């Protein structure tokens, strides 16, 4: 396991490559960003599938997965920009000047900000399950309140209850995943730091995000592919289509019969779509 200190937090990262040494081989680098309360684990199968042509860098964002906050964490906000700057520092620490990005859900919102803050650092980007939404004060307040309760009630024994992983993942999927995959998602959720989980939930689904993300999509200058799941209940495909329409730099595709994790629900189609977009056969 490898860790690197980024602004006072030890960040877990790993390389998935075709090289026997397990380190970067000089191929183009693709960096993967996970979504809210997740970890880089769910990107591993995608990374392995394209490792023939890309050195794949996976990492867990501050407060999530294997990057827990220290007992006395440095002063930090949980604005999405904070996570975008974390990524910039990670790339600098690893001497990566220019990369490809593949980011999912909340990670895709962070990546969108990164693309506009550091466009010179990215060749192309893939945003999986991302979009724009309208602000509704009552709905957002209710969401934050309920979400806060869910985050605060996360006893470790939940993972031991039979089939609870399937119940946990049901809203995110159109096609079921193997038990070990769903259980890993549940364990990541149980591991997430409470402060980080609530903080990013509030900033990702907020009046500010609703007002600013359309502007961020409109400003994109990096070639970008936006991939939506046809039956995504978390970020409906129409939200992705609306976001993509704001910039001629964004291509938009829908993966049929999938929901919020199209890269896992239909890996074959997902990989073909990103191969069509990328400059080399992956």
């Amino acid at each position: 396991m490898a860790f690197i200190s980024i602004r006072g937090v030890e960040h877990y990262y790993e390389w998935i490559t075709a090289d026997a040494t397990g380190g970067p081989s000089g191929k183009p680098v693709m960096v993967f960003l996970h979504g809210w309360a997740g970890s880089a684990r769910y990107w591993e199968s995608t990374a392995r599938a394209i490792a023939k042509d890309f050195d794949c860098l996976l990492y867990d964002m501050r407060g999530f997965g294997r990057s827990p906050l220290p007992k006395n964490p440095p002063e930090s906000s949980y604005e999405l920009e904070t996570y975008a700057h974390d990524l910039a520092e990670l790339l600098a620490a690893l001497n990566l000047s220019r990369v490809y990005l593949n980011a999912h859900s909340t990670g895709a919102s962070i990546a969108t900000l990164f693309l506009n803050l550091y466009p010179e650092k990215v060749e192309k980007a893939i945003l999986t399950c991302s979009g724009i939404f309208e602000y509704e004060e009552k709905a957002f307040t209710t969401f934050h309140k309920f979400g806060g309760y869910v985050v605060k009630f996360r006893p470790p024994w939940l993972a031991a209850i039979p089939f609870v992983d399937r119940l946990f993942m049901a809203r995110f999927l159109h096609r079921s995943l193997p038990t070990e995959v769903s259980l890993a998602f549940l364990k990541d959720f149980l591991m997430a730091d409470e402060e980080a989980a609530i903080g990013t939930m509030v900033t990702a689904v907020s009046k500010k995000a609703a007002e600013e993300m359309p502007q961020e999509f409109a400003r994109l200058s990096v070639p970008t592919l936006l991939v939506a799941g046809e039956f995504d209940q978390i970020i409906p495909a129409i939200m992705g289509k609306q976001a993509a329409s704001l910039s001629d730099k964004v291509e938009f595709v829908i993966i049929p019969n999938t929901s919020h994790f199209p890269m896992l629900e239909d890996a074959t189609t997902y990989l073909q779509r990103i191969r069509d977009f990328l400059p080399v056969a992956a």
Side-chain angles (χ1 to χ4, degrees), residues 12 22 33 50 62-63 74 85 108 128 136 138 140 142 146 154 162 168 182 189 202 219 232 239 251 255 259 266 280:
Y12 171 87
L33 281 74
I50 66 171
R62 68 168 61 225
H85 293 309
T128 301
E136 297 180 22
K138 185 176 181 180
F140 280 33
T142 300
F146 177 75
R154 292 178 299 158
F168 175 73
S182 293
F189 172 69
V202 170
R219 289 177 54 211
D232 193 345
M239 293 182 177
E251 299 177 31
I255 308 293
S259 185
D266 186 355
V280 295

Side-chain angles (χ1 to χ4, degrees), residues 33-49:
L33 281 74
H34 63 80
W36 181 79
S39 80
R41 275 188 282 239
Y42 67 73
W43 276 125
E44 290 175 2
S45 59
T46 305
R48 290 193 187 98

Side-chain angles (χ1 to χ4, degrees), residues 145-190:
K145 185 175 182 179
F146 177 75
Y149 290 146
V150 171
V151 169
K152 289 178 181 297
F153 180 75
R154 292 178 299 158
W157 48 259
L158 273 179
I161 299 176
F163 308 114
V164 73
D165 56 295
R166 296 185 187 181
L167 293 172
F168 175 73
M169 291 299 294
R171 187 164 181 261
F172 300 96
L173 302 172
H174 184 68
R175 304 181 185 185
S176 61
L177 300 176
T179 297
E180 62 270 20
V181 178
S182 293
L183 191 57
F185 275 106
L186 176 59
K187 289 180 178 178
D188 280 337
F189 172 69
L190 296 177

Side-chain angles (χ1 to χ4, degrees), residues 13 26 52 74 187 243 257:
Y13 75 97
K52 177 184 174 183
K187 289 180 178 178
N257 299 314

Side-chain angles (χ1 to χ4, degrees), residues 132 217-218 226 238-252:
I132 57 174
F217 274 101
L226 200 160
I238 186 63
M239 293 182 177
K241 185 175 182 179
Q242 291 169 343
S245 71
L246 298 173
S247 172
D248 59 8
K249 291 292 185 179
V250 182
E251 299 177 31
F252 177 71

Side-chain angles (χ1 to χ4, degrees), residues 45-227:
S45 59
T46 305
R48 290 193 187 98
I50 66 171
K52 177 184 174 183
D53 292 286
F54 290 90
D55 290 336
C56 297
L57 175 63
L58 285 67
Y59 77 103
D60 292 351
M61 294 186 284
R62 68 168 61 225
F64 298 107
R66 294 148 291 186
S67 300
L69 298 180
K71 291 184 178 179
N72 297 305
E75 286 191 22
S76 175
S77 75
Y78 295 101
E79 295 291 336
L80 301 185
E81 290 89 345
T82 298
Y83 286 89
H85 293 309
D86 281 351
L87 174 55
E89 295 218 9
L90 175 68
L91 298 184
L94 295 176
N95 296 313
L96 299 172
S97 59
R98 198 163 172 85
V99 300
Y100 293 80
L101 289 184
N102 192 347
H104 175 249
S105 195
T106 299
S109 295
I110 293 166
T112 301
L113 296 172
F114 183 87
L115 293 175
N116 288 327
L117 288 166
Y118 305 97
E120 73 284 356
K121 296 184 182 295
V122 186
E123 293 280 359
K124 284 188 171 185
I126 302 162
L127 305 178
T128 301
C129 298
S130 186
I132 57 174
F133 50 86
E134 295 182 2
Y135 176 68
E136 297 180 22
E137 183 177 3
K138 185 176 181 180
F140 280 33
T141 300
T142 300
F143 173 78
H144 292 157
K145 185 175 182 179
F146 177 75
Y149 290 146
V150 171
V151 169
K152 289 178 181 297
F153 180 75
R154 292 178 299 158
W157 48 259
L158 273 179
I161 299 176
F163 308 114
V164 73
D165 56 295
R166 296 185 187 181
L167 293 172
F168 175 73
M169 291 299 294
R171 187 164 181 261
F172 300 96
L173 302 172
H174 184 68
R175 304 181 185 185
S176 61
L177 300 176
T179 297
E180 62 270 20
V181 178
S182 293
L183 191 57
F185 275 106
L186 176 59
K187 289 180 178 178
D188 280 337
F189 172 69
L190 296 177
M191 287 170 60
D193 180 87
E194 180 178 311
E195 185 177 336
I198 293 177
T200 52
M201 175 184 66
V202 170
T203 56
V205 184
S206 64
K207 185 174 187 290
K208 176 184 176 183
E211 293 174 348
E212 294 185 358
M213 288 309 296
Q215 300 173 41
E216 296 294 337
F217 274 101
R219 289 177 54 211
L220 287 174
S221 60
V222 174
T224 300
L225 176 68
L226 200 160
V227 182

